[in-house]
Amino acid sequence: MPSRSLIALVACLVGGPALAQAPASVEAELEAIPRRPGPARPGDRPAIPIRHIAAPTLSLGNMVGTCTRVARPGVDCLGGLAAGDGIIALIGWAPDRQPTSARKAERYRLLRLPPAARPRRVPGDRGAPVAARVALGTAVSEGTFLGVMQGYSLGMSRFEDGILLRGVKAGECFVAVVEAAGGTVSAQSDPACIDAGVSWGVETINLPMIARQGRARTPDACNRESGKTKVQAFETRVGTMAYTTDACTGVWYHSMLIGYDFSGVHFPLIKAELRQPANAACIRHLSLVTPNWSADAGPDASRPYETLQTRDVAGAEAFAQDVTAWLNRRDGSTGGFQFDGPGGRSTCMSSAGGMQLVVTQLR
């Protein structure tokens, strides 16, 4: 067989284009394919005839964290999942290396498998379940493929798009296809099924308190302990307390830190509320803080802690503060809350010992 160099030499001698070397990469192959029929114009890039688009992958889940991937305007992902009849379909797609394959998925289509075509295991086969391919007919969901890039490896990008499916139930199975510009449709994904053991809807729980700590300080010069902070592990008082000693009147300022166990919480939360049914009139300031919590000793008194957010609250016997946005922004990494009194020189004292953190979350 003649060598490439010989072919190139012969081509030059007969006046034809020289074949110096084969394309060095897939990108070079793509550039070598004419992109536009007809005469070339200055600045034109040759058009690739799209004859193929890679098949997508499909997974189903009710994990609330995947709601961040459902970026469609007007879609209430949390509300849809909380209604108890919704689940998220996550479509993954990556272009393949065929020169005439699409480099972008324009649209998606999700199809519900009929019972006869749902995955089943072949007797004696220990591998993945198989399913009959279904006709590309009526879809349960279809639209523009947003294609947010989720990774890049070996020169190939991977894209994902999350779609909220409503009106579904356990045991149902689905497949996905994607479409390129011009109408080229991919093969179907492998089927994905809603696990029969999936949990639907929401639950409301009272999170356990893991630690609490009271702090008292006085800035009054007439007190010999002026400027010091006393830490008491189980103190629950919040407010101000006037005192008189040696004909000098001063004020103790009492605050309280409470920590909760977030280990079993599914973020983002549907709702989170701090509640104290009575005796909370002297709580006037609420802060989200990050002390060094421990279940045994509470925050480490020797270390400063960071105050992340603070709000003023109206003094009332019953205390109820919505802290959903605070906790969702922190995604459970915070330690707890601090409660402070109104300040001033008069006595006003409440207890925060019965404070509850009630959260509503997906099951």
Side-chain angles (χ1 to χ4, degrees), residues 294-361:
S294 90
D296 297 326
D300 187 340
S302 65
R303 300 183 185 179
Y305 56 89
E306 182 183 3
T307 300
L308 302 171
Q309 301 277 343
T310 299
R311 72 171 68 149
D312 296 335
V313 296
E317 279 299 303
F319 183 91
Q321 288 289 311
D322 190 325
V323 292
T324 312
W326 277 7
L327 294 180
N328 282 344
R329 279 196 296 269
R330 297 296 298 176
D331 199 24
S333 60
T334 183
F337 302 91
Q338 178 173 322
F339 306 89
D340 293 283
R345 302 189 68 82
S346 61
T347 295
C348 182
M349 196 65 64
S350 289
S351 172
M355 193 68 65
Q356 298 178 338
L357 179 57
V358 181
V359 302
T360 301
Q361 64 178 5

Short mmCIF file of all heavy atoms in Angstrom, two decimals, residues 294-361:
data_model
loop_
_atom_site.label_atom_id
_atom_site.label_comp_id
_atom_site.label_asym_id
_atom_site.label_seq_id
_atom_site.Cartn_x
_atom_site.Cartn_y
_atom_site.Cartn_z
N SER A 294 -21.13 22.26 70.98
CA SER A 294 -20.92 20.85 71.30
C SER A 294 -22.13 20.40 72.09
O SER A 294 -22.73 21.17 72.84
CB SER A 294 -19.64 20.64 72.11
OG SER A 294 -19.88 20.71 73.49
N ALA A 295 -22.52 19.16 71.92
CA ALA A 295 -23.75 18.68 72.56
C ALA A 295 -23.63 18.67 74.08
O ALA A 295 -24.63 18.76 74.79
CB ALA A 295 -24.07 17.28 72.06
N ASP A 296 -22.41 18.59 74.61
CA ASP A 296 -22.24 18.50 76.06
C ASP A 296 -22.10 19.87 76.72
O ASP A 296 -22.73 20.16 77.73
CB ASP A 296 -21.01 17.65 76.40
CG ASP A 296 -21.17 16.22 75.91
OD1 ASP A 296 -22.31 15.72 75.94
OD2 ASP A 296 -20.16 15.63 75.49
N ALA A 297 -21.27 20.72 76.13
CA ALA A 297 -20.91 21.96 76.81
C ALA A 297 -21.48 23.22 76.17
O ALA A 297 -21.31 24.30 76.70
CB ALA A 297 -19.39 22.08 76.88
N GLY A 298 -22.14 23.08 75.03
CA GLY A 298 -22.64 24.29 74.38
C GLY A 298 -21.51 25.04 73.71
O GLY A 298 -20.44 24.50 73.44
N PRO A 299 -21.71 26.35 73.42
CA PRO A 299 -20.65 27.11 72.76
C PRO A 299 -19.44 27.30 73.66
O PRO A 299 -19.57 27.41 74.88
CB PRO A 299 -21.31 28.45 72.44
CG PRO A 299 -22.60 28.46 73.17
CD PRO A 299 -22.89 27.10 73.69
N ASP A 300 -18.28 27.27 73.07
CA ASP A 300 -17.04 27.45 73.81
C ASP A 300 -16.94 28.91 74.27
O ASP A 300 -16.83 29.82 73.45
CB ASP A 300 -15.87 27.09 72.91
CG ASP A 300 -14.54 27.08 73.66
OD1 ASP A 300 -14.48 27.70 74.74
OD2 ASP A 300 -13.59 26.47 73.17
N ALA A 301 -16.99 29.12 75.58
CA ALA A 301 -17.00 30.49 76.12
C ALA A 301 -15.70 31.23 75.86
O ALA A 301 -15.66 32.45 75.89
CB ALA A 301 -17.28 30.43 77.62
N SER A 302 -14.62 30.48 75.59
CA SER A 302 -13.33 31.14 75.41
C SER A 302 -13.14 31.64 73.97
O SER A 302 -12.18 32.34 73.70
CB SER A 302 -12.20 30.16 75.76
OG SER A 302 -12.18 29.08 74.85
N ARG A 303 -14.04 31.30 73.06
CA ARG A 303 -13.87 31.69 71.66
C ARG A 303 -14.94 32.69 71.26
O ARG A 303 -16.10 32.56 71.64
CB ARG A 303 -13.98 30.47 70.75
CG ARG A 303 -12.96 29.40 71.02
CD ARG A 303 -13.11 28.27 70.00
NE ARG A 303 -12.20 27.16 70.30
CZ ARG A 303 -12.14 26.05 69.60
NH1 ARG A 303 -12.94 25.91 68.54
NH2 ARG A 303 -11.31 25.09 69.91
N PRO A 304 -14.58 33.69 70.47
CA PRO A 304 -15.61 34.59 69.94
C PRO A 304 -16.46 33.86 68.92
O PRO A 304 -16.00 32.92 68.29
CB PRO A 304 -14.79 35.71 69.30
CG PRO A 304 -13.50 35.06 68.93
CD PRO A 304 -13.23 34.03 69.99
N TYR A 305 -17.69 34.27 68.78
CA TYR A 305 -18.56 33.67 67.78
C TYR A 305 -19.03 34.75 66.83
O TYR A 305 -19.06 35.93 67.14
CB TYR A 305 -19.75 32.95 68.43
CG TYR A 305 -20.59 33.81 69.32
CD1 TYR A 305 -21.67 34.54 68.82
CD2 TYR A 305 -20.33 33.89 70.69
CE1 TYR A 305 -22.45 35.34 69.64
CE2 TYR A 305 -21.10 34.68 71.51
CZ TYR A 305 -22.16 35.40 70.99
OH TYR A 305 -22.92 36.19 71.80
N GLU A 306 -19.41 34.33 65.64
CA GLU A 306 -19.78 35.26 64.59
C GLU A 306 -21.29 35.45 64.56
O GLU A 306 -22.05 34.48 64.57
CB GLU A 306 -19.31 34.75 63.23
CG GLU A 306 -19.61 35.68 62.07
CD GLU A 306 -19.19 35.09 60.74
OE1 GLU A 306 -18.71 33.95 60.71
OE2 GLU A 306 -19.35 35.80 59.72
N THR A 307 -21.72 36.70 64.52
CA THR A 307 -23.13 37.02 64.34
C THR A 307 -23.39 37.21 62.85
O THR A 307 -22.83 38.10 62.22
CB THR A 307 -23.52 38.29 65.11
OG1 THR A 307 -23.27 38.07 66.51
CG2 THR A 307 -24.99 38.61 64.91
N LEU A 308 -24.23 36.35 62.28
CA LEU A 308 -24.45 36.35 60.84
C LEU A 308 -25.58 37.27 60.41
O LEU A 308 -25.49 37.97 59.41
CB LEU A 308 -24.74 34.93 60.36
CG LEU A 308 -23.66 33.90 60.68
CD1 LEU A 308 -24.15 32.50 60.37
CD2 LEU A 308 -22.39 34.19 59.90
N GLN A 309 -26.67 37.22 61.14
CA GLN A 309 -27.84 38.04 60.84
C GLN A 309 -28.45 38.48 62.15
O GLN A 309 -28.43 37.74 63.14
CB GLN A 309 -28.88 37.24 60.05
CG GLN A 309 -28.41 36.67 58.73
CD GLN A 309 -28.47 37.69 57.62
OE1 GLN A 309 -29.13 38.71 57.73
NE2 GLN A 309 -27.77 37.42 56.53
N THR A 310 -29.02 39.68 62.18
CA THR A 310 -29.71 40.18 63.37
C THR A 310 -30.98 40.90 62.93
O THR A 310 -30.99 41.59 61.91
CB THR A 310 -28.83 41.14 64.19
OG1 THR A 310 -27.66 40.43 64.64
CG2 THR A 310 -29.57 41.67 65.41
N ARG A 311 -32.04 40.73 63.71
CA ARG A 311 -33.27 41.47 63.45
C ARG A 311 -33.89 41.90 64.78
O ARG A 311 -33.71 41.23 65.81
CB ARG A 311 -34.27 40.63 62.67
CG ARG A 311 -34.91 39.51 63.44
CD ARG A 311 -36.06 38.84 62.68
NE ARG A 311 -35.59 38.11 61.52
CZ ARG A 311 -36.20 37.00 61.05
NH1 ARG A 311 -37.29 36.54 61.65
NH2 ARG A 311 -35.72 36.38 60.00
N ASP A 312 -34.58 43.03 64.75
CA ASP A 312 -35.33 43.48 65.92
C ASP A 312 -36.69 42.79 65.91
O ASP A 312 -37.30 42.58 64.85
CB ASP A 312 -35.54 44.99 65.88
CG ASP A 312 -34.22 45.75 65.97
OD1 ASP A 312 -33.25 45.18 66.51
OD2 ASP A 312 -34.16 46.90 65.49
N VAL A 313 -37.16 42.42 67.09
CA VAL A 313 -38.47 41.78 67.19
C VAL A 313 -39.32 42.55 68.19
O VAL A 313 -38.81 43.13 69.16
CB VAL A 313 -38.33 40.30 67.63
CG1 VAL A 313 -37.59 39.50 66.58
CG2 VAL A 313 -37.61 40.18 68.97
N ALA A 314 -40.60 42.57 67.94
CA ALA A 314 -41.53 43.28 68.84
C ALA A 314 -41.72 42.46 70.11
O ALA A 314 -41.90 41.25 70.05
CB ALA A 314 -42.86 43.50 68.12
N GLY A 315 -41.67 43.14 71.23
CA GLY A 315 -41.87 42.45 72.50
C GLY A 315 -43.30 41.98 72.65
O GLY A 315 -44.24 42.77 72.56
N ALA A 316 -43.49 40.68 72.83
CA ALA A 316 -44.82 40.10 73.01
C ALA A 316 -44.69 38.83 73.83
O ALA A 316 -43.63 38.18 73.81
CB ALA A 316 -45.48 39.82 71.67
N GLU A 317 -45.74 38.48 74.52
CA GLU A 317 -45.71 37.27 75.34
C GLU A 317 -45.44 36.04 74.48
O GLU A 317 -44.65 35.18 74.84
CB GLU A 317 -47.04 37.12 76.10
CG GLU A 317 -47.12 37.97 77.36
CD GLU A 317 -46.05 37.60 78.38
OE1 GLU A 317 -45.99 36.42 78.78
OE2 GLU A 317 -45.25 38.48 78.75
N ALA A 318 -46.12 35.93 73.35
CA ALA A 318 -45.91 34.81 72.43
C ALA A 318 -44.89 35.21 71.37
O ALA A 318 -45.00 36.27 70.77
CB ALA A 318 -47.22 34.41 71.78
N PHE A 319 -43.89 34.38 71.17
CA PHE A 319 -42.79 34.65 70.26
C PHE A 319 -42.89 33.71 69.07
O PHE A 319 -42.98 32.48 69.24
CB PHE A 319 -41.46 34.45 70.99
CG PHE A 319 -40.23 34.76 70.20
CD1 PHE A 319 -39.68 36.02 70.22
CD2 PHE A 319 -39.61 33.77 69.45
CE1 PHE A 319 -38.52 36.30 69.50
CE2 PHE A 319 -38.46 34.04 68.73
CZ PHE A 319 -37.92 35.32 68.76
N ALA A 320 -42.89 34.25 67.86
CA ALA A 320 -42.90 33.41 66.65
C ALA A 320 -42.15 34.17 65.56
O ALA A 320 -42.60 35.22 65.12
CB ALA A 320 -44.33 33.10 66.21
N GLN A 321 -41.02 33.64 65.15
CA GLN A 321 -40.19 34.29 64.13
C GLN A 321 -39.85 33.31 63.02
O GLN A 321 -39.32 32.22 63.26
CB GLN A 321 -38.90 34.82 64.76
CG GLN A 321 -39.09 36.03 65.64
CD GLN A 321 -39.44 37.27 64.83
OE1 GLN A 321 -38.77 37.59 63.85
NE2 GLN A 321 -40.48 37.98 65.24
N ASP A 322 -40.16 33.71 61.78
CA ASP A 322 -39.85 32.90 60.61
C ASP A 322 -38.36 33.04 60.29
O ASP A 322 -37.88 34.13 60.00
CB ASP A 322 -40.69 33.36 59.42
CG ASP A 322 -40.59 32.41 58.23
OD1 ASP A 322 -39.50 31.84 58.02
OD2 ASP A 322 -41.59 32.24 57.52
N VAL A 323 -37.62 31.94 60.34
CA VAL A 323 -36.18 31.95 60.07
C VAL A 323 -35.84 31.06 58.88
O VAL A 323 -34.70 30.62 58.74
CB VAL A 323 -35.38 31.52 61.32
CG1 VAL A 323 -35.49 32.56 62.41
CG2 VAL A 323 -35.83 30.15 61.83
N THR A 324 -36.81 30.82 58.01
CA THR A 324 -36.60 29.93 56.85
C THR A 324 -35.47 30.43 55.97
O THR A 324 -34.55 29.68 55.62
CB THR A 324 -37.89 29.81 56.03
OG1 THR A 324 -38.99 29.55 56.90
CG2 THR A 324 -37.77 28.70 55.01
N ALA A 325 -35.54 31.70 55.58
CA ALA A 325 -34.52 32.25 54.67
C ALA A 325 -33.15 32.22 55.31
O ALA A 325 -32.14 31.93 54.63
CB ALA A 325 -34.90 33.67 54.27
N TRP A 326 -33.05 32.52 56.59
CA TRP A 326 -31.77 32.49 57.28
C TRP A 326 -31.14 31.10 57.16
O TRP A 326 -29.98 30.96 56.78
CB TRP A 326 -31.95 32.84 58.76
CG TRP A 326 -32.00 34.30 59.05
CD1 TRP A 326 -32.04 35.32 58.14
CD2 TRP A 326 -32.03 34.91 60.34
NE1 TRP A 326 -32.09 36.53 58.80
CE2 TRP A 326 -32.08 36.30 60.15
CE3 TRP A 326 -32.03 34.41 61.64
CZ2 TRP A 326 -32.12 37.21 61.20
CZ3 TRP A 326 -32.07 35.31 62.69
CH2 TRP A 326 -32.11 36.70 62.48
N LEU A 327 -31.90 30.08 57.51
CA LEU A 327 -31.34 28.72 57.54
C LEU A 327 -31.07 28.19 56.14
O LEU A 327 -30.08 27.50 55.93
CB LEU A 327 -32.29 27.79 58.29
CG LEU A 327 -32.46 28.08 59.79
CD1 LEU A 327 -33.41 27.09 60.43
CD2 LEU A 327 -31.11 28.03 60.51
N ASN A 328 -31.92 28.50 55.20
CA ASN A 328 -31.69 28.01 53.84
C ASN A 328 -30.44 28.62 53.22
O ASN A 328 -29.72 27.96 52.46
CB ASN A 328 -32.90 28.29 52.96
CG ASN A 328 -34.03 27.30 53.20
OD1 ASN A 328 -33.81 26.23 53.78
ND2 ASN A 328 -35.22 27.64 52.74
N ARG A 329 -30.14 29.87 53.54
CA ARG A 329 -28.91 30.49 53.03
C ARG A 329 -27.68 29.84 53.63
O ARG A 329 -26.64 29.72 52.98
CB ARG A 329 -28.90 31.99 53.31
CG ARG A 329 -29.70 32.80 52.30
CD ARG A 329 -29.36 34.27 52.36
NE ARG A 329 -29.71 34.88 53.63
CZ ARG A 329 -30.87 35.48 53.88
NH1 ARG A 329 -31.81 35.51 52.96
NH2 ARG A 329 -31.11 36.02 55.06
N ARG A 330 -27.79 29.42 54.88
CA ARG A 330 -26.65 28.79 55.54
C ARG A 330 -26.59 27.30 55.30
O ARG A 330 -25.57 26.66 55.54
CB ARG A 330 -26.73 29.04 57.06
CG ARG A 330 -26.63 30.49 57.46
CD ARG A 330 -25.29 31.08 57.11
NE ARG A 330 -24.19 30.42 57.79
CZ ARG A 330 -22.92 30.69 57.61
NH1 ARG A 330 -22.57 31.61 56.74
NH2 ARG A 330 -21.98 30.06 58.27
N ASP A 331 -27.69 26.70 54.87
CA ASP A 331 -27.76 25.27 54.56
C ASP A 331 -27.31 24.41 55.72
O ASP A 331 -26.60 23.42 55.56
CB ASP A 331 -26.92 24.97 53.32
CG ASP A 331 -27.31 23.64 52.69
OD1 ASP A 331 -28.46 23.22 52.90
OD2 ASP A 331 -26.47 23.02 52.01
N GLY A 332 -27.73 24.80 56.92
CA GLY A 332 -27.49 23.97 58.09
C GLY A 332 -26.12 24.08 58.69
O GLY A 332 -25.80 23.35 59.64
N SER A 333 -25.27 24.96 58.19
CA SER A 333 -23.92 25.03 58.71
C SER A 333 -23.81 25.90 59.96
O SER A 333 -22.75 25.98 60.56
CB SER A 333 -22.97 25.57 57.63
OG SER A 333 -23.38 26.87 57.22
N THR A 334 -24.88 26.57 60.33
CA THR A 334 -24.83 27.43 61.50
C THR A 334 -25.03 26.62 62.78
O THR A 334 -25.46 25.47 62.74
CB THR A 334 -25.92 28.52 61.42
OG1 THR A 334 -25.79 29.37 62.55
CG2 THR A 334 -27.30 27.90 61.44
N GLY A 335 -24.69 27.23 63.91
CA GLY A 335 -24.84 26.54 65.18
C GLY A 335 -26.13 26.84 65.90
O GLY A 335 -26.66 25.99 66.59
N GLY A 336 -26.64 28.05 65.77
CA GLY A 336 -27.85 28.35 66.54
C GLY A 336 -28.23 29.81 66.52
O GLY A 336 -27.92 30.54 65.58
N PHE A 337 -28.91 30.24 67.61
CA PHE A 337 -29.50 31.57 67.68
C PHE A 337 -29.13 32.24 69.00
O PHE A 337 -28.88 31.57 70.01
CB PHE A 337 -31.02 31.48 67.59
CG PHE A 337 -31.50 30.81 66.33
CD1 PHE A 337 -31.71 29.44 66.30
CD2 PHE A 337 -31.72 31.55 65.17
CE1 PHE A 337 -32.15 28.81 65.15
CE2 PHE A 337 -32.15 30.92 64.01
CZ PHE A 337 -32.36 29.55 64.01
N GLN A 338 -29.09 33.56 68.97
CA GLN A 338 -28.89 34.34 70.19
C GLN A 338 -30.10 35.25 70.39
O GLN A 338 -30.61 35.84 69.45
CB GLN A 338 -27.62 35.19 70.10
CG GLN A 338 -27.40 36.06 71.34
CD GLN A 338 -26.07 36.77 71.33
OE1 GLN A 338 -25.07 36.21 70.90
NE2 GLN A 338 -26.04 38.00 71.81
N PHE A 339 -30.53 35.36 71.66
CA PHE A 339 -31.66 36.21 72.03
C PHE A 339 -31.16 37.27 73.00
O PHE A 339 -30.46 36.96 73.96
CB PHE A 339 -32.75 35.37 72.70
CG PHE A 339 -33.19 34.19 71.87
CD1 PHE A 339 -32.55 32.96 71.99
CD2 PHE A 339 -34.23 34.30 70.97
CE1 PHE A 339 -32.93 31.87 71.23
CE2 PHE A 339 -34.63 33.22 70.21
CZ PHE A 339 -33.99 32.00 70.33
N ASP A 340 -31.53 38.53 72.73
CA ASP A 340 -31.11 39.65 73.57
C ASP A 340 -32.33 40.46 73.99
O ASP A 340 -33.36 40.47 73.31
CB ASP A 340 -30.13 40.56 72.84
CG ASP A 340 -28.80 39.87 72.57
OD1 ASP A 340 -28.00 39.75 73.51
OD2 ASP A 340 -28.57 39.43 71.43
N GLY A 341 -32.15 41.18 75.12
CA GLY A 341 -33.22 42.01 75.65
C GLY A 341 -33.22 43.41 75.06
O GLY A 341 -32.47 43.72 74.13
N PRO A 342 -34.06 44.30 75.62
CA PRO A 342 -34.24 45.62 75.03
C PRO A 342 -33.15 46.62 75.37
O PRO A 342 -33.07 47.68 74.75
CB PRO A 342 -35.58 46.07 75.63
CG PRO A 342 -35.63 45.36 76.95
CD PRO A 342 -34.97 44.04 76.74
N GLY A 343 -32.29 46.34 76.32
CA GLY A 343 -31.32 47.33 76.77
C GLY A 343 -31.98 48.32 77.72
O GLY A 343 -33.07 48.10 78.23
N GLY A 344 -31.31 49.44 77.94
CA GLY A 344 -31.86 50.43 78.87
C GLY A 344 -31.49 50.11 80.31
O GLY A 344 -30.70 49.20 80.58
N ARG A 345 -32.10 50.84 81.26
CA ARG A 345 -31.72 50.69 82.67
C ARG A 345 -32.85 50.15 83.52
O ARG A 345 -32.71 50.02 84.72
CB ARG A 345 -31.26 52.04 83.22
CG ARG A 345 -30.08 52.64 82.46
CD ARG A 345 -29.53 53.86 83.17
NE ARG A 345 -28.88 53.52 84.43
CZ ARG A 345 -27.64 53.07 84.54
NH1 ARG A 345 -26.90 52.91 83.46
NH2 ARG A 345 -27.13 52.80 85.73
N SER A 346 -33.97 49.82 82.90
CA SER A 346 -35.07 49.27 83.69
C SER A 346 -35.02 47.75 83.65
O SER A 346 -34.40 47.15 82.76
CB SER A 346 -36.41 49.77 83.15
OG SER A 346 -36.58 49.37 81.81
N THR A 347 -35.69 47.13 84.60
CA THR A 347 -35.71 45.66 84.66
C THR A 347 -36.80 45.10 83.75
O THR A 347 -37.96 45.51 83.83
CB THR A 347 -35.95 45.19 86.10
OG1 THR A 347 -34.84 45.59 86.91
CG2 THR A 347 -36.07 43.67 86.16
N CYS A 348 -36.39 44.22 82.86
CA CYS A 348 -37.32 43.51 81.97
C CYS A 348 -36.70 42.15 81.71
O CYS A 348 -35.63 42.07 81.10
CB CYS A 348 -37.54 44.28 80.67
SG CYS A 348 -38.72 43.50 79.54
N MET A 349 -37.33 41.09 82.16
CA MET A 349 -36.70 39.78 82.08
C MET A 349 -37.69 38.73 81.56
O MET A 349 -38.81 38.65 82.02
CB MET A 349 -36.17 39.35 83.44
CG MET A 349 -35.18 38.22 83.37
SD MET A 349 -33.64 38.66 82.50
CE MET A 349 -33.01 39.94 83.58
N SER A 350 -37.24 37.98 80.55
CA SER A 350 -38.02 36.87 80.01
C SER A 350 -37.17 35.60 80.06
O SER A 350 -35.98 35.64 80.34
CB SER A 350 -38.44 37.14 78.56
OG SER A 350 -39.42 38.13 78.47
N SER A 351 -37.82 34.49 79.73
CA SER A 351 -37.11 33.21 79.64
C SER A 351 -37.21 32.68 78.23
O SER A 351 -38.27 32.76 77.59
CB SER A 351 -37.70 32.19 80.61
OG SER A 351 -37.13 30.91 80.39
N ALA A 352 -36.11 32.14 77.70
CA ALA A 352 -36.12 31.50 76.38
C ALA A 352 -35.87 30.01 76.50
O ALA A 352 -35.53 29.35 75.52
CB ALA A 352 -35.07 32.15 75.48
N GLY A 353 -36.05 29.48 77.70
CA GLY A 353 -35.75 28.07 77.92
C GLY A 353 -36.66 27.12 77.18
O GLY A 353 -36.29 25.99 76.89
N GLY A 354 -37.88 27.57 76.84
CA GLY A 354 -38.80 26.70 76.11
C GLY A 354 -38.86 26.97 74.63
O GLY A 354 -39.81 26.56 73.96
N MET A 355 -37.85 27.66 74.10
CA MET A 355 -37.85 28.02 72.69
C MET A 355 -37.81 26.77 71.81
O MET A 355 -37.00 25.87 72.04
CB MET A 355 -36.66 28.92 72.37
CG MET A 355 -36.74 29.60 71.03
SD MET A 355 -38.03 30.84 70.89
CE MET A 355 -37.46 32.07 72.09
N GLN A 356 -38.68 26.71 70.81
CA GLN A 356 -38.75 25.57 69.90
C GLN A 356 -38.40 26.02 68.49
O GLN A 356 -38.77 27.13 68.07
CB GLN A 356 -40.15 24.97 69.89
CG GLN A 356 -40.61 24.40 71.23
CD GLN A 356 -42.02 23.87 71.16
OE1 GLN A 356 -42.79 24.25 70.28
NE2 GLN A 356 -42.36 22.99 72.08
N LEU A 357 -37.71 25.16 67.75
CA LEU A 357 -37.46 25.39 66.34
C LEU A 357 -38.26 24.33 65.57
O LEU A 357 -37.92 23.15 65.57
CB LEU A 357 -35.96 25.27 66.02
CG LEU A 357 -35.60 25.47 64.55
CD1 LEU A 357 -36.07 26.82 64.02
CD2 LEU A 357 -34.09 25.34 64.34
N VAL A 358 -39.34 24.78 64.94
CA VAL A 358 -40.25 23.89 64.24
C VAL A 358 -40.00 24.04 62.73
O VAL A 358 -40.11 25.14 62.20
CB VAL A 358 -41.72 24.21 64.57
CG1 VAL A 358 -42.66 23.26 63.85
CG2 VAL A 358 -41.95 24.12 66.08
N VAL A 359 -39.66 22.96 62.07
CA VAL A 359 -39.33 23.00 60.65
C VAL A 359 -40.29 22.12 59.87
O VAL A 359 -40.69 21.04 60.32
CB VAL A 359 -37.87 22.60 60.36
CG1 VAL A 359 -36.91 23.48 61.10
CG2 VAL A 359 -37.63 21.16 60.66
N THR A 360 -40.64 22.60 58.68
CA THR A 360 -41.41 21.80 57.72
C THR A 360 -40.50 21.50 56.54
O THR A 360 -39.92 22.41 55.94
CB THR A 360 -42.65 22.56 57.24
OG1 THR A 360 -43.47 22.87 58.38
CG2 THR A 360 -43.47 21.72 56.27
N GLN A 361 -40.33 20.23 56.25
CA GLN A 361 -39.39 19.80 55.22
C GLN A 361 -39.99 18.67 54.41
O GLN A 361 -40.98 18.05 54.80
CB GLN A 361 -38.08 19.35 55.85
CG GLN A 361 -38.24 18.11 56.73
CD GLN A 361 -36.93 17.63 57.33
OE1 GLN A 361 -35.90 18.25 57.18
NE2 GLN A 361 -36.97 16.51 58.00
#
